[in-house]
Amino acid sequence: MASLGMYRQLSRSLSSASASSLFSRGGNATRSRVSRKYSNAAAAVVEDPIIAPVSVNYKQLLIDGKFVNAASGKTLPTLDPRTGDVIAHVAEADAEDINRAVAAARKAFDEGPWPKMPAYERQRILLRFADLLEKHNDELAALETWDSGKPYEQCAKVEVPMMTRLVRYYAGWADKIHGLTAPADGPYHVETLHEPIGVVGQIIPWNFPLLMFTWKIGPALACGNTIVLKTSDLTPLSALFASNLLHEAGLPPGVLNVVSGFGPTAGAAIASHMDVDKVAFTGSTNTGKAILEMAAKSNLKPVTLELGGKSPFIVCEDADIDKAVELAHFALFFNQGQCCCAGSRTFVHERVYDEFVEKAKARALKRTVGDPFKGGIEQGPQIDMKQFEKIMKYIKSGVESGATLEAGGDRLGNKGYYIKPTVFSNVKDDMLIAKDEIFGPVQSILKFRDLDEVIRRANNTHYGLAAGVLTQNIETAHTLTRALRVGSVWVNCFDIFDAAIPFGGYKMSGQGREKGMYSLSNYLQVKAVITPLKNPAWL
Ligand code: NAI
Ligand code: MG
């Protein structure tokens, strides 16, 4: 995710940052517990982890405005991706806790004050929340980095500010949501009421914990709904901190309930709950399908899904090659490659292919990988061992299927989940690395000859989330933007994610749109009210 010229901001902040630590090092205090399986791979170049400059103050479930333990008393460990060490044990919700959270949200919806409050008051609470986010920007960023392995500068300078911006955007909507009057063929007064939908269940992933939290709660709260939100078991910390700030800003108890927990237990309990009126999900396509099924089998709650992708990034023969190389690199490697919209199929025109591959390789070899708390770092570790192993498997499959490994290909260091920026050329459409969502720092470069061919190949996937188009020819740009079956097309840019820009997928990349005014409709019911008119002056 990126916004506000995020790409520019990020490269500026990285080039101005010193390569030294932003914070102090942990020495031997934090010992690696990671499996030794890969220990004889590349030399250990990742130094001892820098001590995270923040402490974990919120580890419980947030239900009805209070931090409480799980009914079972169970906890789950959240790990530091730099080492695999435990950061904290957080309360682990299961079905009973979801029942408690849904009951609190139901009460806050049915009895108020939230939906009954003037929209202006809701707006003011959200605006105060944004001010508090700004005040606690660096703490939130540090928690996010510690729990997810993202570069601290990316969190502090881009993601938390984007989150704050998004809260202000939806605060702005709160008092502008209303229905219409509509004409009828007979003497009737017809009005539409835009009502909050009720208790909303929201399930978010680990790749952008704070941004996904905000994409979900922003529009839901602006519309007057109440919420039960489940974070990913891999990254529960930042949303708890942020939710505490939202209560400090004046959010009434029960309006936002936040639980940590696992998908098949807590997540499934939300998706199949009979008293949850709507569910919104971001994550894998398989889990999205399971959620749709649970919604259908329970109370037929409407579902929005933001799922996986295998987005084409198309470099035409007239593109500025240096710019294309840099953007393609960003499109794939940003956030350790853990982006649903990553430009993971880099299609390059045959006339510029060789030059592009050489430069893409050189750029990947220059990418700075290391402790995400260190200044100037572009890439931290992958989120966990499972994702690490999945990515390593795809790299192996790329080599075995005959793609040319230009750069990377193995892990970095011998602890944590660091992977060297990896580039494959001579990738063919039927290779697994060209078909599956890898969700890691692995760039696949494919060759194409003409527009018709690249359109057909770009669309030949079950996914349809996003695409990048690099050309200086406006006609080529128009041809491609209309032909590509995807929810977002970035022309001569990538990952522009401003608050008002809708985001979502075609095909198996999802249903519905998030952000912008489009996401409001996910959280509203439209009620038509029809009243007879007596001797109306006009119709
Ligand atoms: P996932 O889709 O299983 O997890 C996402 C969220 O769904 C988490 O909060 C999880 O607890 C919850 N969940 C899992 N199973 C559930 C169930 N049966 N019922 C209800 N909720 C459930 O994704 P995971 O396992 O973390 O990653 C697997 C792959 O998914 C990644 O390798 C990547 O390809 C893709 N992914 C895509 C994301 C996106 O932004 N679209 C984000 C994260 C992962
Ligand atoms: Mg973690």
Side-chain angles (χ1 to χ4, degrees):
M1 318 286 119
S3 89
L4 310 169
M6 165 174 204
Y7 175 61
R8 266 173 289 126
Q9 279 185 29
L10 199 59
S11 18
R12 225 182 2 249
S13 75
L14 290 176
S15 58
S16 67
S18 81
S20 63
S21 314
L22 293 169
F23 310 102
S24 58
R25 290 197 177 281
N28 292 328
T30 323
R31 277 200 345 271
S32 167
R33 295 189 310 114
V34 77
S35 136
R36 294 282 132 200
K37 200 163 157 193
Y38 295 93
S39 58
N40 54 1
V45 277
V46 182
E47 301 153 311
D48 283 328
I50 292 164
I51 296 169
V54 67
S55 50
V56 179
N57 296 328
Y58 307 102
K59 303 179 198 171
Q60 292 168 290
L61 311 175
L62 177 54
I63 297 179
D64 208 12
K66 292 185 226 46
F67 283 103
V68 296
N69 290 329
S72 65
K74 279 196 291 195
T75 60
L76 65 86
T78 186
L79 310 183
D80 180 342
R82 298 176 300 169
T83 57
D85 289 343
V86 175
I87 300 173
H89 294 271
V90 301
E92 180 200 327
D94 54 29
E96 195 178 338
D97 305 293
I98 300 304
N99 285 339
R100 284 198 289 166
V102 172
R106 174 56 58 197
K107 184 161 174 281
F109 188 80
D110 289 350
E111 295 173 21
W114 191 245
K116 297 184 166 75
M117 191 182 275
Y120 178 49
E121 289 303 316
R122 288 203 296 271
Q123 177 177 75
R124 293 181 65 192
I125 290 170
L126 289 173
L127 289 174
R128 280 200 295 271
F129 176 41
D131 292 344
L132 288 170
L133 289 172
E134 221 157 50
K135 189 170 149 198
H136 294 276
N137 186 91
D138 295 357
E139 268 166 290
L140 271 163
L143 268 183
E144 193 80 326
T145 292
W146 197 8
D147 212 7
S148 73
K150 287 164 183 287
Y152 174 76
E153 285 165 349
Q154 177 184 318
C155 295
K157 294 184 180 164
V158 183
E159 293 191 24
V160 184
M162 273 175 79
M163 171 188 192
T164 309
R165 172 70 182 94
L166 206 72
V167 170
R168 292 208 173 103
Y169 175 84
Y170 281 110
W173 269 114
D175 63 350
K176 295 164 196 73
I177 294 164
H178 53 80
L180 302 165
T181 53
D185 291 343
Y188 295 99
H189 172 74
V190 182
E191 60 194 346
T192 59
L193 301 178
H194 290 190
E195 299 183 344
I197 204 163
V199 174
V200 171
Q202 302 182 319
I203 301 171
I204 59 171
W206 44 264
N207 56 340
F208 290 92
L210 280 174
L211 281 172
M212 291 303 99
F213 171 79
T214 316
W215 285 25
K216 297 281 181 288
I217 69 158
L221 292 177
C223 293
N225 298 284
T226 62
I227 299 170
V228 176
L229 178 141
K230 189 191 86 64
T231 50
S232 164
D233 53 282
L234 302 177
T235 51
L237 302 178
S238 55
L240 289 172
F241 188 103
S243 304
N244 188 57
L245 294 180
L246 183 46
H247 284 83
E248 197 179 319
L251 190 80
V255 175
L256 172 64
N257 305 276
V258 179
V259 299
S260 315
F262 293 105
T265 49
I270 292 174
S272 47
H273 206 287
M274 290 300 287
D275 212 18
V276 169
D277 299 307
K278 188 243 161 10
V279 71
F281 169 77
T282 298
S284 64
T285 293
N286 279 343
T287 303
K289 285 182 176 179
I291 285 180
L292 204 51
E293 202 178 328
M294 287 185 262
K297 284 189 172 152
S298 53
N299 58 350
L300 217 53
K301 55 180 79 62
V303 177
T304 14
L305 301 172
E306 204 266 274
L307 309 175
K310 192 71 187 174
S311 299
F313 185 96
I314 301 173
V315 180
C316 298
E317 61 182 313
D318 66 345
D320 172 335
I321 293 300
D322 290 335
K323 182 174 172 184
V325 165
E326 190 58 34
L327 270 175
H329 178 85
F330 171 65
L332 186 283
F333 290 99
F334 174 61
N335 205 46
Q336 293 70 245
Q338 301 166 151
C339 294
C340 50
C341 57
S344 52
R345 288 183 294 153
T346 311
F347 287 102
V348 181
H349 192 274
E350 60 180 2
R351 264 193 227 126
V352 290
Y353 188 83
D354 292 343
E355 181 189 356
F356 184 96
V357 169
E358 263 324 292
K359 289 182 168 170
K361 170 184 175 177
R363 179 62 183 90
L365 290 171
K366 259 182 31 204
R367 186 167 184 80
T368 49
V369 186
D371 191 314
F373 278 113
K374 192 165 152 185
I377 286 295
E378 293 175 293
Q379 181 177 317
Q382 307 308 126
I383 187 75
D384 71 352
M385 184 52 101
K386 191 175 127 207
Q387 291 292 319
F388 176 89
E389 286 181 336
K390 172 183 159 185
I391 297 161
M392 296 307 292
K393 231 166 68 194
Y394 277 114
I395 292 176
K396 194 159 166 267
S397 120
V399 171
E400 284 169 2
S401 60
T404 310
L405 181 65
E406 302 278 354
D410 48 22
R411 77 177 304 174
L412 181 69
N414 55 18
K415 67 178 167 189
Y417 315 124
Y418 295 91
I419 295 180
K420 289 183 187 166
T422 296
V423 177
F424 280 110
S425 65
N426 296 316
V427 178
K428 303 285 178 279
D429 293 4
D430 59 355
M431 294 178 182
L432 275 188
I433 55 169
K435 293 204 293 199
D436 291 3
E437 181 173 54
I438 301 176
F439 231 61
V442 183
Q443 184 175 34
S444 296
I445 313 181
L446 305 100
K447 192 187 284 186
F448 74 92
R449 190 164 288 170
D450 62 51
L451 278 193
D452 286 345
E453 174 202 324
V454 80
I455 289 167
R456 183 179 43 75
R457 290 170 61 196
N459 283 337
N460 186 22
T461 165
H462 291 307
Y463 293 119
L465 195 53
V469 167
L470 269 282
T471 177
Q472 301 186 49
N473 182 325
I474 187 126
E475 286 175 15
T476 306
H478 283 316
T479 301
L480 286 170
T481 50
R482 287 181 185 240
L484 294 168
R485 307 264 309 138
V486 298
S488 301
V489 185
W490 288 291
V491 181
N492 295 331
C493 61
F494 205 83
D495 275 355
I496 303 300
F497 269 97
D498 294 11
I501 304 175
F503 185 76
Y506 284 33
K507 301 193 268 183
M508 279 164 62
S509 287
Q511 302 185 355
R513 293 293 175 270
E514 296 193 286
K515 295 200 291 113
M517 60 192 284
Y518 294 90
S519 72
L520 299 170
S521 60
N522 298 329
Y523 295 103
L524 292 168
Q525 284 283 19
V526 177
K527 181 182 283 171
V529 181
I530 302 105
T531 321
L533 292 166
K534 203 156 189 184
N535 299 324
W538 53 268
L539 271 182

